[in-house]
Structures are given as structure tokens and as C-alpha cells.
Amino acid sequence: MTRIRRSFGAPLAMLLVVLAGIWILGLIAAPQAIMIERSLWKMERPAGAAEISVEIDRLYNRLDVLALDRAAADGPGRLAAIDAERAALSARIAKLEEQESTPVRTWTLSNYAQMGRAHLWIFAKTILAALSVTAIAFAVCYPIAFAIAKLEPPRRAALIMLALVIPYAINELLRVFAWQMILNYGGPLNALLGLAGIGPVPFLESGAGVFVAMVYAYILFMVFPLYNVLETLDMNQIEAARDLGAKSWQIHRRIVLPHARPGIAVGCIMTFMLSAGSYSVPYIMTRGTAPPWFAQLVYNRFFQASEWNNGAAYAVSLLAVCTGFVFLMMRLLKVRLRDIAK
């Protein structure tokens, strides 16, 4: 705080701290806390609801008896007594019915237990698919980022980066639909394979189209962190390794990859989290015919089944796995939050 005040002055430093607090508490911590709190309770029938139902039935039987007594009553005093008792019973019944029908909040972990074997399999499949997308994106983007950062002249590197960025000016849904048309049975790719006597290949039905579209959709989130880190690598280290007889794969394993660890961590974390939480890409690329991804289950829990507490438990489960992946990448690559923030 002292360093910020010295750099920007007290008023601006206070404004920056307030804005940062609003961002962290209001847009990050509070929504997650609300989701976690919602996943830990559910509305259930009140305790003793069965006994209350029995008591309500008994009182209704008593009302029926009083109706018969009223029909046989022979004096105004007796009628008044019966009417008074009926009014008291009716009020008692109304109170008990309200008590029986009003659910109470019960703190429980049962929302997490509702994830049956089928949903657990979808959850595991989604995580494995997100890991696969992350691995494919890294394999595709690492050579691109290294070539742009170290092998191309600055002007050509700028043109390549611009070529990567320009498609992102188009809405993501349009880009995904474009890939659906490319990979469809009658699409250009199957047409080219048909000229070679291959196909048609069911890219969409097999799920391969999902991986293609996801890698394309999230490629920048892998390329930019890698490029930013590799750009700071001193080429003299690479030249010295070559002079000492190191092969290309040894240079990358011992020099380039260790230097790029923060960028690898950021790229893998962002790609994995976006892939694991993706809803539109798998739905569009499979045309809704393939088994859903876990994000689709979360959506269905909230907006189709109206099970908000159960949906919150599903969302928290996905959040826990993503958080665990962040710490796993930090541990495997031996980087700290400070390194990732750079």
C-alpha cells in the first residue's frame, strides 16, 4: 500500500485499492461463496411432517363428525357450540397445513451425493477431454510461439500474430458453426478426402470435431503466454548450447522449456479451465446428439430441472477440480503465483 501511495499519490492509490477490492470480493469471492453456500443445503419437509399429516386427518374426521352433529342439533346453544368448535378446528387445520407444506432449509452434503454413476462418468470424461485439449493445444502452440518469438524477424512475427488475432474479431459461435460446416459430411474437408478415395469421415459424430473446434477457439490462450515468456529468452544461451554440440531436442528440453515454465503453466491452466467449462462448443459440434459434457449437465440442473442446489454442487465440483489443476501445474512446473502473474 505504501509503495502504491508513493507511486500514484494517496487519492489515486485509494481508488485503485477500492476498485481492486470490488473486483476481488464482488466479482470473484462473493459469487463463489454464494455457489458453495447454495450447494450445502436443500429445502426439505419439516421434522415431524408425518405426525402432522396424521393430526390433520384426525381433525378433518372430527369436522365431519361435527357436521353430522350440527345437522341433528335441536337448539341454538348447541349449534353455537358446534360452530365455535368447527371454527377452532378449521383454524388449527390451516395452521398445521401451513406448517406441513412449508419446507425448511436443511444443511447437508446430499446435493453432491446425487451425482450418480452416469454423471460421474460424464464428469470424468469431461476432465479427460479437457486435459486432451490442453495437451493438443500445447503441442500445436509451442512450435508456433517459439518460431514467432525467436526465429522470425520482428515484422514477420507481428504479421503472424495479427493473423492469429484477426479471426477472434468474429463471434465465437460463428467460428464454431464454421468449423461444424467444414467438418460435416458434406463439408469441404470430407470433399477433399473423397477426392483421395477416403470417407466420408464422421468428424462430428466421433467427437473429433469438438477437439478441433476447442483447440481453435482457445489457441490464443496458449500462444500468448508462451510467446510472452519465450520472447524474454536470451538467444545467446541457445547459440552457446549449439556451439557445445547440443541437439535441437536437448536445447528445448534443457533451456527453452525450463525458461518457458511460467508461460506453459498459464497457457495450460487457461486452456484447461475454458475447455472443462465449455458449454456451446461441444453442444454445437456434436449437434446435441452426443453425450453431454459436464457443463451441459450443470446448465440442465439449473434451468431445466430447476435443481439450483444440485446444480450448485455440480458447479462447485468442477470448480474444485479446476482449482486442483492450478496447484498441480504449479507443483509440476515448479512455479509460484508470482511467476504466473508476470
Side-chain angles (χ1 to χ4, degrees):
M1 182 64 186
T2 303
R3 185 181 301 177
I4 297 176
R5 187 171 62 251
R6 290 176 180 175
S7 301
F8 301 100
L12 184 56
M14 183 61 66
L15 178 62
L16 292 175
V17 171
V18 171
L19 293 177
I22 293 174
W23 177 269
I24 294 174
L25 297 177
L27 300 180
I28 299 177
Q32 302 303 331
I34 293 172
M35 190 72 69
I36 293 172
E37 186 268 344
R38 189 69 182 258
S39 71
L40 295 176
W41 59 267
K42 63 188 304 183
M43 303 302 289
E44 294 182 341
R45 296 183 67 189
E51 291 78 3
I52 295 176
S53 298
V54 172
E55 178 65 14
I56 291 174
D57 292 339
R58 189 188 67 80
L59 294 177
Y60 271 118
N61 290 334
R62 178 58 182 165
L63 277 179
D64 294 337
V65 172
L66 289 177
L68 296 175
D69 291 344
R70 191 177 190 282
D74 53 0
R78 179 59 179 164
L79 287 175
I82 292 175
D83 289 340
E85 185 176 356
R86 290 182 65 189
L89 287 176
S90 298
R92 175 63 176 166
I93 289 173
K95 183 177 180 180
L96 289 176
E97 285 181 339
E98 181 181 2
Q99 183 179 349
E100 181 195 29
S101 61
T102 302
V104 295
R105 178 180 298 187
T106 303
W107 296 95
T108 177
L109 295 175
S110 61
N111 292 314
Y112 294 90
Q114 292 183 22
M115 192 185 300
R117 180 178 299 178
H119 287 183
L120 280 174
W121 167 242
I122 294 174
F123 182 62
K125 187 182 69 173
T126 299
I127 299 304
L128 291 175
L131 290 172
S132 301
V133 170
T134 303
I136 295 171
F138 175 73
V140 171
C141 296
Y142 174 75
I144 297 175
F146 181 77
I148 296 174
K150 292 303 173 187
L151 301 183
E152 298 292 342
R155 177 172 293 183
R156 187 177 300 174
L159 291 176
I160 295 174
M161 294 299 291
L162 184 62
L164 290 173
V165 172
I166 285 177
Y168 283 77
I170 304 173
N171 184 273
E172 179 183 353
L173 292 178
L174 297 180
R175 288 185 275 119
V176 175
F177 276 116
W179 272 109
Q180 186 194 63
M181 290 186 287
I182 292 172
L183 299 177
N184 204 353
Y185 276 115
L189 184 56
N190 267 316
L192 292 175
L193 293 176
L195 295 177
I198 305 173
V201 179
F203 292 107
L204 300 181
E205 286 74 9
S206 65
V210 176
F211 291 94
V212 174
M214 278 197 172
V215 171
Y216 176 77
Y218 306 134
I219 190 173
L220 288 188
F221 298 98
M222 182 67 76
V223 167
F224 279 154
L226 290 174
Y227 171 77
N228 289 335
V229 175
L230 292 175
E231 195 179 27
T232 63
L233 177 63
D234 189 356
M235 283 296 295
N236 292 326
Q237 299 182 46
I238 297 177
E239 296 298 333
R242 286 177 178 162
D243 293 340
L244 293 173
K247 298 179 180 180
S248 294
W249 67 269
Q250 292 175 319
I251 292 174
H252 283 276
R253 185 171 69 88
R254 297 186 178 182
I255 297 176
V256 182
L257 286 174
H259 181 82
R261 286 181 304 179
I264 296 173
V266 173
C268 290
I269 289 170
M270 295 182 69
T271 305
F272 174 82
M273 297 182 73
L274 289 171
S275 301
S278 178
Y279 172 83
S280 60
V281 176
Y283 184 80
I284 293 173
M285 292 305 297
T286 61
R287 293 176 292 201
T289 59
W293 279 39
F294 194 71
Q296 294 170 260
L297 288 183
V298 176
Y299 176 88
N300 293 339
R301 292 289 93 188
F302 275 106
F303 299 109
Q304 291 186 4
S306 296
E307 293 283 349
W308 283 59
N309 301 87
N310 188 222
Y314 279 33
V316 171
S317 300
L318 185 60
L319 173 65
V321 172
C322 291
T323 304
F325 182 79
V326 172
F327 289 103
L328 177 63
M329 292 302 301
M330 292 173 58
R331 183 174 182 82
L332 290 177
L333 297 174
K334 299 179 181 180
V335 296
R336 299 170 297 175
L337 286 175
R338 181 180 301 177
D339 301 324
I340 293 177
K342 293 179 180 179

